Amino acid sequence: MIEVQHLTKRYGPVTAVDDVSFRVERGEILGFLGPNGAGKTTTMRILTGYMPATEGRAVVAGFDVFEQPIEAKRRTGYLPETPPLYPDMSVVEYLGFVARIKGVPSNERAARIETIMERTRIADMRHRLCSRLSKGYRQRVGLAQALLHNPDVLILDEPTAGLDPKQIIETRELVKELAGDHTIILSTHILPEVSQTCQRVVIIAKGRVVAVDTPENLTARLRGANSLYLQVDAGGADLAGVFSQLPGVRRVAESDRRDLIVGYEIETETGGDVRRELARVVVGSGWGLLELRPMRLSLEDIFLSLTTEEIESAAGEPADPEPAGPEPAAQEPAAQEAVNG
Ligand SMILES: Nc1ncnc2c1ncn2[C@@H]1O[C@H](COP(=O)(O)OP(=O)(O)OP(=O)(O)O)[C@@H](O)[C@H]1O
Ligand SMILES: [Mg+2]
């Protein structure tokens, strides 16, 4: 449904997006995860036809975004980083305006707006001026405008940014409901978001894709060596030497110590399971076995490891210069993104 091939975007000397390729299948939710400045917004702006790429190709719903931009845009709903609202319009006026420019037939507009307002839970704010909306409601109205023309593809740039915890859960639920009918790419910094909402994750750092996989596979892939946590009461003795003698154990490190109780992190060879042997040694020596469990890498660890590897491997190169010039894209009139979206 979405196909991105070798996309590159340069702003003068800054390469914001560097040879990015990925696919999103119909009905799938893809999470676009990366630290600040990774190139998420830039990629999304290219996909929505809001700005051209320097190199590469992107196909959305069967249409090349550069060669058939109108067809591609008709099938795309876009929630930009800053929702493109008109401050002087009320919510319902604004949605009416967007419905018109998006070509929703006039006899369907009113019903469509009602449905979308219900769905995004903004009906109670219908007569509020856009300039008077709270951040969370602005975000929801932004989502509503992206959905108005019932697009096949939704591109959501940090849809939960600035929302309170209840709204975050509601938005996640809404996004999940929308998948299936719609193909969705959403960007985020929030790790639980991708594991809870997305089937697949693209992790980008400094414009480059560092991983594309399911959240589960990412965890598994990075767990090259298994680690165990073992807590023992052996009268405060240091047992690291004892445990490192066991076959299958690679490395032992003391991780915490409280009075006579010591916790160890034990790294083992992949595939082997030394838990029984460890338990036997501890109990057989008359020590107290208080805890023994596998340590799993969290998505957070994986993210940090992937993105810092990338940054470390780029060390020595000068740091990404933050361009001082104006961001032309950010300064276009608000409606421009709505038209494009
Ligand atoms: N209009 C522009 N002119 C010059 N450089 C730009 C422009 N827009 C973005 N950049 C640079 O491109 C890089 C990628 O920016 P982008 O906004 O795509 O990152 P992001 O992943 O969306 O970050 P964030 O999480 O902070 O939103 C950054 O180094 C940024 O400074
Ligand atoms: Mg961004």
Side-chain angles (χ1 to χ4, degrees):
M1 188 47 101
I2 302 171
E3 171 107 51
V4 172
Q5 290 169 351
H6 306 292
L7 217 55
T8 296
K9 176 73 187 180
R10 289 188 206 98
Y11 295 109
V14 179
T15 304
V17 174
D18 191 358
D19 195 23
V20 164
S21 301
F22 60 86
R23 285 171 64 93
V24 195
E25 305 301 333
R26 179 182 288 277
E28 195 178 29
I29 310 179
L30 179 92
F32 215 52
L33 188 65
N36 287 133
K40 303 180 296 294
T41 298
T42 304
T43 307
M44 292 184 148
R45 283 183 170 159
I46 295 171
L47 283 180
T48 50
Y50 186 53
M51 95 189 154
T54 312
E55 278 160 39
R57 186 161 178 266
V59 178
V60 171
F63 297 95
D64 187 304
V65 299
F66 312 119
E67 280 159 21
Q68 297 153 293
I70 311 264
E71 292 300 325
K73 279 177 196 170
R74 195 168 282 163
R75 288 162 182 81
T76 309
Y78 177 33
L79 171 65
E81 229 164 14
T82 313
L85 307 185
Y86 270 133
D88 299 335
M89 287 185 185
S90 70
V91 168
V92 76
E93 281 167 354
Y94 168 69
L95 292 177
F97 164 75
V98 175
R100 236 178 5 259
I101 51 180
K102 287 192 172 177
V104 178
S106 56
N107 59 337
E108 291 170 21
R109 264 178 228 155
R112 184 79 198 139
I113 290 170
E114 284 309 313
T115 311
I116 294 298
M117 284 198 303
E118 286 301 320
R119 208 151 189 201
T120 52
R121 301 199 178 78
I122 54 174
D124 49 338
M125 292 287 158
R126 64 175 66 228
H127 298 305
R128 186 71 57 96
L129 284 183
C130 289
S131 59
R132 307 247 165 98
L133 292 173
S134 69
K135 163 85 182 148
Y137 272 96
R138 234 174 267 174
Q139 199 71 5
R140 293 197 220 181
V141 175
L143 192 56
Q145 66 75 31
L147 288 169
L148 263 182
H149 59 308
N150 197 24
D152 292 337
V153 170
L154 281 172
I155 306 227
L156 311 176
D157 200 353
E158 306 206 25
T160 56
L163 301 186
D164 68 33
K166 184 164 166 277
Q167 292 173 340
I168 289 179
I169 295 168
E170 281 177 10
T171 305
R172 266 184 210 153
E173 293 305 315
L174 176 62
V175 168
K176 279 199 243 174
E177 261 173 55
L178 292 169
D181 290 344
H182 306 263
T183 305
I184 302 174
I185 301 186
L186 65 86
S187 73
T188 179
H189 305 104
I190 311 171
L191 292 155
E193 192 121 289
V194 290
S195 44
Q196 285 167 25
T197 323
C198 307
Q199 286 107 341
R200 253 169 2 112
V201 191
V202 171
I203 299 183
I204 67 167
K206 296 206 146 202
R208 271 186 238 152
V209 172
V210 292
V212 185
D213 218 326
T214 61
E216 301 77 40
N217 282 351
L218 279 173
T219 318
R221 233 170 67 183
L222 272 123
R223 217 189 303 131
N226 294 306
S227 289
L228 298 171
Y229 177 78
L230 173 66
Q231 201 185 51
V232 188
D233 179 358
D238 180 2
L239 304 176
V242 176
F243 299 138
S244 48
Q245 299 302 314
L246 295 177
V249 171
R250 260 198 213 158
R251 213 167 52 85
V252 181
E254 188 176 306
S255 81
D256 59 280
R257 177 183 278 269
R258 189 170 44 85
D259 302 330
L260 303 178
I261 296 170
V262 186
Y264 299 91
E265 251 183 70
I266 301 178
E267 201 182 290
T268 65
E269 320 257 322
T270 324
D273 187 350
V274 298
R275 283 178 296 177
R276 290 171 192 79
E277 201 44 41
L278 278 171
R280 204 169 294 132
V281 168
V282 173
V283 176
S285 310
W287 302 320
L289 174 58
L290 302 181
E291 200 174 339
L292 175 57
R293 61 177 159 85
M295 294 174 65
R296 285 182 213 292
L297 272 180
S298 68
L299 203 56
E300 202 130 20
D301 298 327
I302 294 166
F303 178 69
L304 282 175
S305 127
L306 282 169
T307 53
T308 41
E309 259 166 39
E310 189 62 16
I311 288 157
E312 275 162 11
S313 71
E317 293 171 25
D320 208 330
E322 280 298 319
E327 279 204 22
Q331 289 175 5
E332 293 286 316
Q336 192 61 38
E337 294 212 17
V339 174
N340 283 321

